[in-house]
């Protein structure tokens, strides 16, 4: 299994084998016509195993040695979270198409939207679910995989929603930048089927845990923060250059002087 700091990004390169869909039903709490996630069962962790490389050179840089296989334990996932870029009509249209297709092809899968996005779409997509306000832990409890529609910023936003391990992500490129996004939204049906039916390949991504210590060496009570891609430590309003020492497992790596 992947450790708590491995962030899998889905690469669907395995054979397009189709498993028989097992239809289950989940009853969701409905309040004034709004479906919430409170009665969706807690997810079952999928089986994630390292793919065996056929290459003779098993170096750490070999792409096949960094890929993992995804298996939903003989069933289909029960809940998907769709994250979208804001204020983009093309993205809005793509979210509606994907949601309608999922609801038709896999009616047993619950579709969850972030609260502001749910408020925008629930009148036209009455089958989507909303995570109640203030219940941030629901993301980790029920979400089996995530679909992102946007750019790199949308993709990286997912990291802030999960305190520990992030579920597999299918990132569709619909933003300004797309360095982290391998999939075209025109192929969403093919890519979604491969993930749902367990024939996808995962490429793990590592997250770091950032914690802030006070001058006396005690840990700041605000707790740790997950860092994806990069973190910036800036001097703020302090007028002088700052000396930053970087340690790994209590061993000094390097020291730099700068404004951030």
């Amino acid at each position: 299994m992947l450790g708590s700091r491995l962030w899998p990004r889905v690469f669907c390169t395995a054979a397009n084998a189709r498993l028989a869909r097992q239809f289950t039903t989940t009853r969701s709490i409905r309040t004034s016509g709004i479906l919430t996630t409170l009665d969706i069962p807690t997810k079952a962790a999928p089986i994630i195993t390292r793919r065996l490389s056929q290459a003779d050179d098993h170096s750490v840089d070999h792409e096949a040695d960094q890929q993992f296989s995804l298996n939903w334990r003989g069933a289909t996932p029960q809940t998907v979270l769709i994250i979208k870029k804001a204020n983009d009509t093309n993205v809005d249209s793509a979210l509606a198409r994907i949601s309608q297709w999922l609801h038709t092809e896999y009616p047993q899968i619950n579709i969850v939207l972030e609260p502001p996005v749910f408020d925008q779409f629930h009148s036209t997509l009455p089958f989507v679910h909303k995570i109640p306000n203030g219940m941030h832990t629901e993301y980790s409890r029920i979400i089996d995989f995530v679909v992102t529609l946007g750019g790199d910023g949308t993709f990286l936003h997912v990291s802030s929603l999960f305190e520990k391990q992030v579920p597999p992500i299918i990132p569709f490129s619909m933003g300004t930048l797309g360095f982290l996004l391998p999939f075209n939204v025109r192929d969403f049906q093919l890519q979604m089927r491969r993930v749902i039916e367990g024939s996808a390949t995962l490429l793990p991504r590592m997250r770091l845990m950032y914690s802030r210590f006070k001058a006396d060496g005690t840990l700041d009570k605000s707790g740790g923060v997950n860092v994806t891609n990069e973190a910036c430590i800036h001097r703020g309003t302090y007028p002088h250059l700052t000396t930053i020492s970087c340690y790994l497992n209590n061993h000094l790596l390097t020291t730099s002087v700068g404004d951030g």
Side-chain angles (χ1 to χ4, degrees):
M1 292 296 294
L2 295 178
S4 62
R5 293 186 181 180
L6 287 179
W7 187 7
R9 182 178 64 170
V10 173
F11 277 80
C12 300
T13 58
N16 189 20
R18 181 153 188 165
L19 302 177
R21 298 202 297 267
Q22 298 187 7
F23 290 88
T24 59
T25 58
T26 57
R27 179 177 57 88
S28 300
I29 294 177
R30 183 185 290 269
T31 305
S32 301
I34 295 176
L35 294 175
T36 71
T37 61
L38 295 180
D39 207 33
I40 295 178
T42 300
K43 65 180 180 182
I47 300 173
I48 301 176
T49 55
R50 184 184 293 274
R51 291 176 60 87
L52 298 178
S53 173
Q54 302 297 321
D56 295 330
D57 178 18
H58 295 279
S59 65
V60 293
D61 294 329
H62 196 279
E63 182 178 355
D65 291 333
Q66 303 175 41
Q67 295 180 353
F68 292 75
S69 295
L70 175 66
N71 186 301
W72 299 107
R73 300 179 183 270
T76 56
Q78 69 177 12
T79 307
V80 57
L81 171 66
I82 303 179
I83 302 292
K84 81 172 192 73
K85 176 184 177 181
N87 304 319
D88 190 309
T89 56
N90 290 330
V91 171
D92 291 350
S93 177
L95 184 146
R97 291 199 311 272
I98 292 174
S99 298
Q100 291 283 6
W101 179 82
L102 273 171
H103 185 62
T104 300
E105 293 292 316
Y106 300 94
Q108 77 277 24
I109 296 181
N110 303 295
I111 302 170
V112 176
L113 305 178
E114 291 183 285
V117 181
F118 175 89
D119 294 339
Q120 177 184 351
F121 282 93
H122 90 275
S123 61
T124 55
L125 302 173
F127 48 82
V128 298
H129 295 71
K130 177 182 181 179
I131 290 183
N133 294 331
M135 301 194 66
H136 196 270
T137 57
E138 282 287 278
Y139 290 106
S140 297
R141 185 183 73 83
I142 64 169
I143 301 301
D144 290 298
F145 70 99
V146 182
V147 173
T148 64
L149 305 170
D152 288 347
T154 308
F155 176 72
L156 294 172
H157 167 65
V158 177
S159 178
S160 67
L161 302 178
F162 297 87
E163 296 180 357
K164 295 183 179 180
Q165 183 171 332
V166 179
I169 301 173
I170 315 175
F172 292 107
S173 181
M174 298 190 71
T176 305
L177 298 177
F179 299 113
L180 301 172
L181 315 176
F183 299 126
N184 192 307
V185 73
R186 292 193 299 266
D187 304 324
F188 81 85
Q189 297 183 9
L190 173 62
Q191 308 302 348
M192 297 280 283
R193 286 192 191 279
R194 287 177 170 174
V195 172
I196 293 171
E197 297 172 0
S199 61
T201 298
L202 303 182
L203 179 61
R205 296 292 184 184
M206 180 175 288
R207 295 196 302 177
L208 299 177
M209 177 66 75
Y210 161 80
S211 298
R212 185 174 64 181
F213 290 82
K214 299 179 180 179
D216 60 3
T218 59
L219 180 64
D220 191 299
K221 293 183 179 180
S222 61
V225 177
N226 287 310
V227 176
T228 304
N229 206 39
E230 64 183 7
C232 178
I233 303 175
H234 199 271
R235 66 179 179 177
T237 58
Y238 186 68
H240 305 290
L241 295 179
T242 300
T243 299
I244 299 176
S245 298
C246 181
Y247 292 81
L248 177 63
N249 296 333
N250 295 322
H251 295 283
L252 178 65
L253 291 181
T254 186
T255 297
S256 64
V257 179
D259 60 356

